Amino acid sequence: MATFQYQGRNLKGDKVAGQIDAATQELAADALVNKGVIPISLVEGGSGSGLDFDLSKLFVRSVPLEILVIFCRQLYSLTKAGVPLLRSMRGLTQNCNNKQLQEALEEVCNELTNGRGLSASLQMHPNVFSSLFVSMIGVGENTGRLDQALMQLANYYEQEVETRKRIKTAMRYPTFVLTFITIAMFILNTQVIPQFTGMFAKFGVELPLPTRILIATSDFFVNYWPLLLAIIFGGLFALRTWINTVPGRIKWDQLRLRTPIIGGIINRALLSRFSRTFSLMLSAGVPLNQALALAAEAIDNKFLEGKLLEMKSAIEAGSTITSTAVNSGIFTPLVIQMLTVGEETGQVDHLLLEVSDFYDREVDYDLKTLTARIEPILLAIVAGMVLILALGIFVPMWSMMDVMK
């Protein structure tokens, strides 16, 4: 979701200015018109510094996908049963347990009462309802198949929830081990090694290099821990600020795809999400270029999103889907073959759904074996720690025993 700076005039003719979040410039202009603002200038970007770091965003949690799944299924059941839309929305608003979603639904009900459409009302809350969600609802409204659009959204978000759960489960063991390694290092450097340092100083023996390194590290932890904390938090703040810039976010997302071991899993998971979203949009009747733009935004990776938007521009210029996909260099041969066959048979949406299922199975297998692949690395880290401690503590102790003899 991009941020646009706008200047315009309201219904009274007064000048107004501010910023608005939207997927594209056209959607931003539509949202302003719906608010009663005629835009004069609409420019993508923040306040102009290029470092758009809003501290308040750190404390605003997005609506969980599980809540959106329940909302879609409940609204599907009510719509399928023939309950009027406004009555359904009011009932769901009263029974909603998520405060952020409830506030958004209350405003949506007010807009529906004023005669605005459902998709246009949902579009006014981009922090709750994504552009993918709004587009699917808009297609359902225009084709008279709102219930089918809601069911497709529910299935889509359920698949996303399952994928995220598998990733969290696979990363639980490595995170647990690395956390305890960090705690052990902190305790050793602040409590254990200083005791040995005093004992070594009393005997005055010449200390080997590993021991001097351990003592220097321990002294830094004990004497300069405020500086260490400042470096850590300053580094995190600088990293977050850099990621919030457009070039930084693109580079960061590109590095994520090249990370050893997990980079391939992330890439396949994103390709699966793109295939599923693109297939969902095409099957719902969304135009090809708009479907590609929405699928690009849904994958939540600026590097891949830029490549997909380049594909969109090439397709609008007259190129085929297959040729633009080959030139982008981000798709595997499997996706290229499926796109080629789908373009020839007119069944791109069905074949992309098969691609998504294939990648989901691959990601599931990779996640199940991820622990087995990471375990040797974790064992090497632990073994290295034990070796350094053994060399740094026991070797001078043996020298001390020789001195005592």
Side-chain angles (χ1 to χ4, degrees):
M1 191 71 65
T3 301
F4 295 89
Q5 296 289 329
Y6 70 86
Q7 293 181 354
R9 294 185 181 274
N10 58 19
L11 297 178
K12 297 180 181 179
D14 300 328
K15 288 185 177 181
V16 293
Q19 63 182 29
I20 186 171
D21 295 329
T24 63
Q25 193 172 23
E26 291 79 7
L27 294 176
D30 292 341
L32 289 174
V33 172
N34 291 334
K35 290 181 178 180
V37 176
I38 304 301
I40 298 175
S41 111
L42 193 60
V43 181
E44 183 177 359
S47 57
S49 63
L51 301 176
D52 303 327
F53 184 76
D54 188 0
L55 192 62
S56 61
K57 292 182 179 180
L58 297 177
F59 305 98
V60 178
R61 297 184 61 186
S62 59
V63 178
L65 292 182
E66 293 86 350
I67 301 296
L68 290 178
V69 170
I70 295 174
F71 169 74
C72 290
R73 291 205 173 276
Q74 289 177 340
L75 187 57
Y76 163 78
S77 299
L78 293 172
T79 306
K80 190 72 173 178
V83 180
L85 180 60
L86 181 58
R87 182 177 175 183
S88 302
M89 294 294 291
R90 285 176 174 169
L92 293 177
T93 303
Q94 295 175 356
N95 297 325
C96 183
N97 295 324
N98 185 276
K99 184 178 179 181
Q100 187 178 1
L101 179 60
Q102 186 178 34
E103 292 175 354
L105 291 180
E106 288 176 354
E107 296 183 14
V108 169
C109 289
N110 294 333
E111 296 297 329
L112 291 175
T113 304
N114 295 332
R116 183 167 291 169
L118 179 59
S119 59
S121 303
L122 296 176
Q123 190 179 18
M124 299 175 66
H125 304 278
N127 294 329
V128 179
F129 305 104
S130 65
S131 55
L132 170 67
F133 193 102
V134 174
S135 298
M136 285 295 297
I137 296 298
V139 171
E141 279 185 308
N142 296 330
T143 59
R145 298 185 298 176
L146 182 59
D147 53 344
Q148 295 182 16
L150 289 167
M151 177 57 68
Q152 288 177 322
L153 282 171
N155 294 334
Y156 172 80
Y157 284 126
E158 278 183 346
Q159 188 69 29
E160 286 293 306
V161 169
E162 290 300 319
T163 302
R164 293 185 182 185
K165 284 182 178 179
R166 292 200 302 268
I167 294 174
K168 288 181 180 179
T169 302
M171 295 303 296
R172 189 174 299 156
Y173 171 73
T175 304
F176 180 81
V177 173
L178 292 176
T179 300
F180 273 87
I181 288 176
T182 304
I183 295 174
M185 288 291 295
F186 178 79
I187 295 175
L188 285 172
N189 282 288
T190 57
Q191 302 296 328
V192 178
I193 295 178
Q195 301 296 328
F196 284 96
T197 302
M199 183 174 62
F200 295 153
K202 290 179 182 179
F203 283 87
V205 296
E206 184 179 356
L207 300 177
L209 179 61
T211 306
R212 294 199 300 271
I213 294 175
L214 286 177
I215 292 175
T217 305
S218 175
D219 290 340
F220 182 80
F221 267 88
V222 173
N223 299 322
Y224 299 99
W225 63 267
L227 177 61
L228 182 63
L229 290 178
I231 292 174
I232 293 174
F233 284 106
L236 292 175
F237 181 81
L239 178 63
R240 182 64 182 269
T241 305
W242 176 67
I243 292 176
N244 281 345
T245 64
V246 175
R249 179 62 187 274
I250 294 174
K251 189 64 178 179
W252 173 257
D253 287 340
Q254 186 178 8
L255 290 175
R256 286 172 55 198
L257 300 178
R258 297 179 178 178
T259 306
I261 300 178
I262 64 174
I265 300 176
I266 295 174
N267 190 31
R268 283 190 287 272
L270 293 179
L271 285 177
S272 172
R273 182 185 298 178
F274 164 76
S275 303
R276 190 185 313 119
T277 308
F278 197 28
S279 171
L280 181 66
M281 292 284 97
L282 292 177
S283 62
V286 179
L288 178 62
N289 56 347
Q290 185 180 354
L292 193 58
L294 291 170
E297 182 185 356
I299 61 178
D300 194 25
N301 186 290
K302 290 298 181 181
F303 174 73
L304 295 180
E305 182 179 345
K307 294 291 186 180
L308 292 172
L309 292 180
E310 291 176 3
M311 283 181 56
K312 172 178 172 290
S313 301
I315 290 174
E316 291 174 344
S319 300
T320 61
I321 301 177
T322 305
S323 61
T324 55
V326 172
N327 294 332
S328 67
I330 61 175
F331 295 106
T332 61
L334 173 67
V335 179
I336 300 297
Q337 292 175 5
M338 288 292 189
L339 287 174
T340 303
V341 175
E343 197 170 20
E344 293 173 353
T345 60
Q347 295 182 336
V348 177
D349 52 344
H350 297 294
L351 291 174
L352 282 176
L353 199 57
E354 293 292 332
V355 171
S356 176
D357 292 338
F358 173 79
Y359 278 125
D360 282 338
R361 290 190 293 269
E362 274 203 344
V363 169
D364 190 37
Y365 175 77
D366 288 338
L367 291 175
K368 288 179 180 178
T369 59
L370 179 62
T371 303
R373 284 183 285 173
I374 291 181
E375 272 183 350
I377 300 176
L378 298 178
L379 289 175
I381 294 174
V382 174
M385 289 177 53
V386 173
L387 179 62
I388 293 174
L389 289 173
L391 293 176
I393 294 177
F394 290 111
V395 170
M397 290 183 66
W398 293 331
S399 301
M400 288 167 50
M401 292 178 63
D402 293 337
V403 172
M404 292 174 63
K405 289 179 181 180

mmCIF file of all heavy atoms in Angstrom, residues 46-53 245:
data_model
loop_
_atom_site.group_PDB
_atom_site.id
_atom_site.type_symbol
_atom_site.label_atom_id
_atom_site.label_comp_id
_atom_site.label_asym_id
_atom_site.label_seq_id
_atom_site.Cartn_x
_atom_site.Cartn_y
_atom_site.Cartn_z
ATOM 1 N N GLY A 46 6.284 10.189 0.779
ATOM 2 C CA GLY A 46 6.015 10.756 2.099
ATOM 3 C C GLY A 46 6.113 12.262 2.069
ATOM 4 O O GLY A 46 5.800 12.943 1.107
ATOM 5 N N SER A 47 6.626 12.805 3.171
ATOM 6 C CA SER A 47 6.699 14.246 3.324
ATOM 7 C C SER A 47 7.797 14.875 2.503
ATOM 8 O O SER A 47 7.959 16.063 2.470
ATOM 9 C CB SER A 47 6.928 14.595 4.805
ATOM 10 O OG SER A 47 8.102 13.967 5.272
ATOM 11 N N GLY A 48 8.635 14.019 1.838
ATOM 12 C CA GLY A 48 9.655 14.552 0.957
ATOM 13 C C GLY A 48 11.055 14.246 1.412
ATOM 14 O O GLY A 48 12.002 14.423 0.674
ATOM 15 N N SER A 49 11.247 13.789 2.634
ATOM 16 C CA SER A 49 12.588 13.495 3.115
ATOM 17 C C SER A 49 13.098 12.169 2.621
ATOM 18 O O SER A 49 14.282 11.909 2.632
ATOM 19 C CB SER A 49 12.608 13.515 4.651
ATOM 20 O OG SER A 49 11.767 12.500 5.160
ATOM 21 N N GLY A 50 12.167 11.259 2.234
ATOM 22 C CA GLY A 50 12.577 9.936 1.795
ATOM 23 C C GLY A 50 12.735 8.956 2.921
ATOM 24 O O GLY A 50 12.888 7.771 2.715
ATOM 25 N N LEU A 51 12.698 9.443 4.178
ATOM 26 C CA LEU A 51 12.805 8.566 5.338
ATOM 27 C C LEU A 51 11.483 8.609 6.073
ATOM 28 O O LEU A 51 11.328 9.304 7.078
ATOM 29 C CB LEU A 51 13.973 9.023 6.246
ATOM 30 C CG LEU A 51 15.343 9.041 5.596
ATOM 31 C CD1 LEU A 51 16.373 9.589 6.560
ATOM 32 C CD2 LEU A 51 15.751 7.663 5.114
ATOM 33 N N ASP A 52 10.501 7.904 5.568
ATOM 34 C CA ASP A 52 9.161 7.939 6.145
ATOM 35 C C ASP A 52 9.086 6.921 7.262
ATOM 36 O O ASP A 52 8.752 5.764 7.037
ATOM 37 C CB ASP A 52 8.100 7.626 5.066
ATOM 38 C CG ASP A 52 8.197 8.589 3.888
ATOM 39 O OD1 ASP A 52 8.543 9.749 4.131
ATOM 40 O OD2 ASP A 52 7.937 8.154 2.755
ATOM 41 N N PHE A 53 9.402 7.375 8.448
ATOM 42 C CA PHE A 53 9.367 6.473 9.602
ATOM 43 C C PHE A 53 8.327 6.995 10.578
ATOM 44 O O PHE A 53 8.537 7.991 11.277
ATOM 45 C CB PHE A 53 10.736 6.416 10.278
ATOM 46 C CG PHE A 53 10.800 5.432 11.409
ATOM 47 C CD1 PHE A 53 10.878 4.082 11.154
ATOM 48 C CD2 PHE A 53 10.755 5.873 12.715
ATOM 49 C CE1 PHE A 53 10.930 3.172 12.195
ATOM 50 C CE2 PHE A 53 10.805 4.967 13.755
ATOM 51 C CZ PHE A 53 10.901 3.622 13.487
ATOM 52 N N THR A 245 12.599 3.203 3.408
ATOM 53 C CA THR A 245 12.816 3.910 2.149
ATOM 54 C C THR A 245 12.555 2.947 0.985
ATOM 55 O O THR A 245 12.675 1.732 1.137
ATOM 56 C CB THR A 245 14.248 4.454 2.068
ATOM 57 O OG1 THR A 245 15.176 3.352 2.069
ATOM 58 C CG2 THR A 245 14.546 5.366 3.247
#
